[in-house]
Amino acid sequence: MRHRRLGARAAVAALSFALLGLGSGPALAHTSKPSSPQYTAVDLGTLGGAYSSGSALDRDTVVGSSAIAGDFEWHAFAYDRSTRVMTDLGTLGGTSSSALDVEGRYVIGDSTLSNGNSRGFVHDLRTRSTQTIGTFGGTDSHVAGISGSVVVGSARTPGNQNTHAYAYDARTGVMTELESPVGPDGTSTAAGTSLNRYVAGTWDYPDTPFEGGHAYVYDLRTRAWTDLSAYDNGVSSKVTSITGNTVVGTFQPKPDGSSDQPPARGFAYDIRSGVWSDLGPEMSYRPVVTGHTVLATTRPGAYAYDLRTKTLSTFGPGPGRTYINGVAGKFAAGDTNPGPFGYVYRVDTGEFTLLPAVGGVHSTASDVDRHGAAVGNSATASADPSTPDGVYHATLWTVRHG
């Protein structure tokens, strides 16, 4: 699964636009190199409204959300990269919907119902049919990620007393409830899934504070829970990303007796070997994983940690944060602050490329594919000479060859 939960932050930023010390870890190196790839920005248009925003892509399809005529409602869309046609995926009877991710034939997202409640959905691009993801007796369900045909997310229990993670098979329509290691009274949420098999997220005991939590991995084949908080000897932990057999997240160490609370730290867990690694405080802010590299935002720039060599490097233009919204293969994408300016970063070479807007100045990238193409939103040309940006449209960036 490509990580893109952090893309939600970029999506919020897009809507706003529309409506307007190192510890004892490894040696640090700065690896960002001058931009070399040249990108072409493609305006994907809208569904009839003024605004749109892209959230994810794969080889064939871009998905996101767009205002429809009147700009009061937003619908999920799927954009065919070969025909350049944007399709309105509609809603589940309510007024709005949004698409979060796409993998092959399946688009996942959330939509309102006619009564205002929310449900996750899976749209099949081949059959043009939409499946509604139910609940466990409560009012709402939401999606978090997809791997193959397995969709994960969370759903409410009777009376909305609790939230449980789920795994939904888009091929069979079977929904599996993941309660918690302590049974149905515990809470659980899913951060992502990988290899059509593993679900990773956070669970907790009943009636615990919101700040609590325990990172976990659940094996859909063996139905076995692995409580990752057993490794960290901390107060709380949570999963932020899973790719292949690697899970990453953050944990809060227990107080050491001083007046200051110890800083949060990042961790990585290898599902195959069962090895858990403390990545240090540098990797504690929204860590994500792609291949053997963990990336996390810092100030200024961002960090990249190689799990094989245990080396840490920085990237980004500075002086503010470099946010990471999506990763795939050797690439990461996001936006910079000040800005925002969308970027694509190549992990193996250190190449850092700022992405152009479709007519204005500012942009943000929500996701990237394994070939370095990115999607997000950027400003169109402004009709007002006193402002640099017009309205924001979903934007596809592809590498310009030749």
Side-chain angles (χ1 to χ4, degrees):
M1 185 198 94
R2 296 183 312 278
H3 172 82
R4 76 178 40 75
R5 277 287 74 192
L6 300 185
R9 189 197 65 81
V12 171
L15 291 176
S16 299
F17 292 138
L19 298 174
L20 319 164
L22 291 178
S24 57
L28 180 67
H30 190 86
T31 62
S32 292
K33 298 180 181 179
S35 299
S36 57
Q38 298 296 312
Y39 278 83
T40 297
V42 179
D43 187 339
L44 303 189
T46 76
L47 294 173
Y51 318 107
S52 61
S53 181
S55 58
L57 81 166
D58 66 8
R59 180 182 62 183
D60 302 310
T61 310
V62 175
V63 299
S65 305
S66 171
I68 60 175
D71 292 329
F72 293 108
E73 299 172 1
W74 286 66
H75 285 186
F77 72 76
Y79 176 92
D80 190 306
R81 292 179 63 174
S82 60
T83 65
R84 300 183 180 182
V85 173
M86 179 183 284
T87 300
D88 187 341
L89 301 186
T91 74
L92 298 176
T95 60
S96 63
S97 62
S98 60
L100 175 75
D101 203 354
V102 58
E103 184 157 329
R105 65 190 292 179
Y106 299 118
V107 179
I108 64 170
D110 292 331
S111 173
T112 56
L113 305 176
S114 58
N115 61 7
N117 294 332
S118 180
R119 292 284 193 280
F121 71 82
V122 183
H123 180 85
D124 190 322
L125 293 168
R126 295 184 190 172
T127 64
R128 300 181 182 179
S129 60
T130 301
Q131 305 172 48
T132 303
I133 298 176
T135 73
F136 301 123
T139 59
D140 301 292
S141 64
H142 300 279
V143 298
I146 182 171
S147 171
S149 64
V150 175
V151 181
V152 298
S154 59
R156 304 303 296 269
T157 60
N160 292 339
Q161 293 296 309
N162 216 336
T163 298
H164 286 166
Y166 68 77
Y168 179 89
D169 193 319
R171 295 172 302 180
T172 63
V174 174
M175 185 176 185
T176 301
E177 184 174 8
L178 281 58
E179 295 174 340
S180 78
V182 294
D185 290 335
T187 64
S188 62
T189 58
T193 178
S194 70
L195 303 178
N196 228 29
R197 175 176 181 176
Y198 300 110
V199 182
T202 305
W203 73 273
D204 212 343
Y205 293 98
D207 303 319
T208 52
F210 178 78
E211 295 79 10
H214 304 266
Y216 75 83
V217 176
Y218 183 86
D219 189 326
L220 292 169
R221 295 182 190 173
T222 64
R223 300 182 181 180
W225 291 87
T226 301
D227 183 0
L228 303 186
S229 66
Y231 295 90
D232 59 48
N233 192 33
V235 175
S236 63
S237 61
K238 66 178 179 179
V239 169
T240 54
S241 177
I242 176 173
T243 298
N245 288 286
T246 305
V247 179
V248 300
T250 63
F251 71 99
Q252 177 60 57
K254 291 181 179 178
D256 56 8
S258 66
S259 58
D260 296 327
Q261 179 173 277
R265 305 174 71 89
F267 74 82
Y269 176 78
D270 189 304
I271 297 173
R272 292 169 300 185
S273 66
V275 173
W276 182 95
S277 302
D278 183 342
L279 303 183
E282 298 85 6
M283 305 304 295
S284 66
Y285 191 76
R286 298 176 172 176
V288 296
V289 60
T290 179
H292 299 284
T293 304
V294 184
L295 303 103
T297 295
T298 184
R299 185 188 298 274
Y303 286 122
Y305 184 97
D306 191 313
L307 293 169
R308 296 168 298 183
T309 63
K310 302 186 186 305
T311 55
L312 188 69
S313 57
T314 63
F315 66 94
R321 292 188 186 273
T322 298
Y323 292 100
I324 306 157
N325 296 330
V327 293
K330 299 176 181 178
F331 297 95
D335 55 82
T336 65
N337 180 27
F341 299 106
Y343 72 85
V344 170
Y345 171 68
R346 182 157 176 164
V347 173
D348 58 338
T349 65
E351 294 170 340
F352 187 92
T353 306
L354 292 175
L355 300 172
V358 292
V361 174
H362 295 101
S363 61
T364 179
S366 300
D367 192 25
V368 66
D369 69 13
R370 293 180 177 272
H371 303 286
V375 68
N377 63 85
S378 67
T380 60
S382 175
D384 183 352
S386 66
T387 60
D389 296 330
V391 296
Y392 279 70
H393 281 184
T395 305
L396 172 66
W397 290 277
T398 56
V399 177
R400 187 186 309 144
H401 298 285

